[in-house]
């Protein structure tokens, strides 16, 4: 088992990575929590695959388990779905000493985390991510949230879990598309973290390589993200570099109306923003080509007709990373080094020139 410890001013917790860890969930949770009610939140894709196994393990460890299933997909990150989950917790007499476990991808983690952080002003929370995207990114760092029509994750909290349990073997049930989607976030991590990490992903030449290298890719991603979160838990400065590709990507994702997965939109966003900064001489020549090569090798998209439309620029104005009249863009000073570049919203159209 690989263990990464996240040490923050108010809390320390571990991220555990091991094949077969899903079979040990009950023992892992019992080492942290006393017997209590657990809301096991999952979605319509993951619940039939893994909920029974996890529920049985938790019951054997002395917990009372209530399974709550939401519809798979970004549409579940809505206030209406959240409200229904609050009512279910109340109906099952959940109190402040009980807990929530997220079993699923990033949508489930964000939704269940926000549920735990706000129900009775906060109850215990554990992440068990089952998608590559969630394992390498969204399950780590404590961000929770739901969407509004005008943007993603506009309502949310920072709420750290008590533990993150990652079992790479569950990736075998992911479709190739969603395995590849998660890899986009790994490329993002490698591009902004170090040349050593970038050289690691250069071994990925086709989708099946992602599964073969998954444990190493997950560990490298998690270790880097943990360092960033420790340095800047609430995204006041350094943590903003994790948004590389996301500013343009979130807008594209919303405009696509469900036709683009999150990682696919981020892939497009990384390439487009890097080309813009390369054209301006702020990113060294050739880096966009290296990004494209890595992303295209597994079939990720690198462009979209949605970029540059009036609706696209309107969504940028509502990006949650805006500070006053400025939008902070993330760019590569070189492979393995990212920096922030603030642009006034009134100048964003001319700056991007899309």
């Amino acid at each position: 088992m690989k263990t990464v410890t996240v040490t923050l001013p108010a809390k320390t917790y571990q991220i555990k990575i091991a094949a077969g860890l899903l079979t040990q969930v009950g023992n892992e949770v019992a080492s942290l929590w006393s017997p209590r009610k657990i809301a096991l939140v999952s979605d319509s894709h993951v619940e039939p695959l893994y909920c029974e196994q996890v529920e049985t393990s938790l019951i054997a460890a002395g917990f009372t388990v209530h399974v709550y299933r939401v519809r798979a997909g970004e549409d579940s990150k809505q206030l209406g779905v959240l409200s229904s989950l609050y009512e279910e917790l109340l109906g099952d007499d959940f109190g402040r000493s009980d807990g929530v476990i997220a079993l699923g991808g990033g949508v489930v983690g964000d939704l269940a985390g926000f549920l735990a952080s706000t129900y009775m002003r906060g109850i215990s929370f554990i992440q068990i991510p089952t998608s590559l995207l969630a394992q390498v990114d969204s399950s780590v760092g404590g961000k929770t949230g739901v969407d509004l029509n005008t943007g993603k994750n506009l309502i949310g909290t920072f709420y750290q879990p008590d533990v993150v349990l990652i079992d790479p073997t569950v990736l075998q049930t992911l479709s190739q598309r969603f395995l590849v989607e998660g890899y986009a976030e790994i490329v993002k991590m490698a591009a902004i973290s170090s040349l050593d990490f970038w050289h690691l992903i250069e071994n990925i030449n086709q989708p099946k390589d992602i599964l073969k290298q998954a444990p190493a890719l997950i560990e490298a991603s998690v270790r880097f993200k943990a360092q960033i979160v420790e340095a800047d838990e609430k995204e006041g400065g350094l943590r903003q570099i994790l948004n590389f590709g996301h500013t343009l990507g979130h807008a594209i994702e919303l405009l696509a109306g469900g036709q683009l997965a999150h990682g696919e939109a981020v892939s497009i966003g990384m390439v487009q923003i890097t080309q813009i900064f390369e054209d301006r001489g702020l990113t060294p020549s050739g880096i966009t080509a290296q990004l494209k090569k890595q992303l295209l090798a597994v079939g990720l998209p690198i462009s979209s007709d949605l970029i540059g439309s009036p609706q696209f620029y309107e969504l940028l104005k509502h990006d949650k990373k805006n500070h006053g009249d400025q939008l902070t863009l993330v760019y590569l000073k070189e492979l393995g080094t990212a920096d922030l570049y603030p642009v006034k919203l009134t100048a964003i159209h001319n700056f991007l020139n899309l």
Side-chain angles (χ1 to χ4, degrees), residues 36-48:
R36 66 189 67 188
K37 290 180 184 176
I38 292 176
L40 184 60
V41 181
S42 193
D43 68 26
S44 53
H45 285 169
V46 175
E47 189 267 342

Side-chain angles (χ1 to χ4, degrees), residues 75-255:
D75 285 348
S76 286
K77 280 177 58 175
Q78 303 293 335
L79 289 171
V81 175
L82 186 67
S83 180
S84 296
L85 288 170
Y86 289 138
E87 294 296 335
E88 291 193 75
L89 291 181
L90 286 168
D92 289 325
D93 296 321
F94 272 72
R96 296 187 69 181
S97 61
D98 296 318
V100 173
I101 294 180
L103 177 68
V107 168
V108 168
D110 286 355
L111 181 67
F114 189 67
L115 176 74
S117 72
T118 51
Y119 183 76
M120 295 193 173
R121 296 191 176 90
I123 62 176
S124 302
F125 177 52
I126 285 172
Q127 286 265 24
I128 307 178
T130 59
S131 70
L132 183 59
L133 183 69
Q135 289 181 349
V136 302
D137 188 30
S138 61
S139 67
V140 179
K143 279 188 177 181
T144 80
V146 293
D147 304 337
L148 294 178
N149 292 335
T150 49
K152 290 190 59 171
N153 303 315
L154 291 177
I155 302 176
T157 61
F158 286 95
Y159 197 67
Q160 302 296 340
D162 291 340
V163 71
V164 181
L165 303 175
I166 298 175
D167 186 345
T169 62
V170 303
L171 301 177
Q172 295 171 8
T173 56
L174 275 185
S175 67
Q176 180 171 298
R177 180 187 181 188
F178 288 106
L179 180 71
V180 166
E181 178 210 9
Y183 177 67
E185 288 284 354
I186 294 173
V187 173
K188 177 202 80 175
M189 295 284 194
I192 65 176
S193 63
S194 69
L195 279 178
D196 286 343
F197 195 171
W198 185 263
H199 293 325
L200 177 63
I201 71 166
E202 287 179 326
N203 296 318
I204 306 300
N205 299 305
Q206 55 190 327
K208 67 180 182 181
D209 293 339
I210 301 170
L211 270 181
K212 291 178 184 178
Q213 301 291 329
L217 295 172
I218 293 166
E219 183 184 358
S221 298
V222 164
R223 287 195 183 280
F224 174 67
K225 185 163 185 183
Q227 292 171 6
I228 296 296
V229 171
E230 286 178 338
D232 180 18
E233 182 182 2
K234 299 293 179 69
E235 201 171 12
L238 178 64
R239 187 169 176 174
Q240 293 179 70
I241 69 170
L242 295 172
N243 293 317
F244 175 54
H246 284 62
T247 300
L248 304 190
H250 278 169
I252 299 164
E253 186 180 354
L254 281 167
L255 287 175

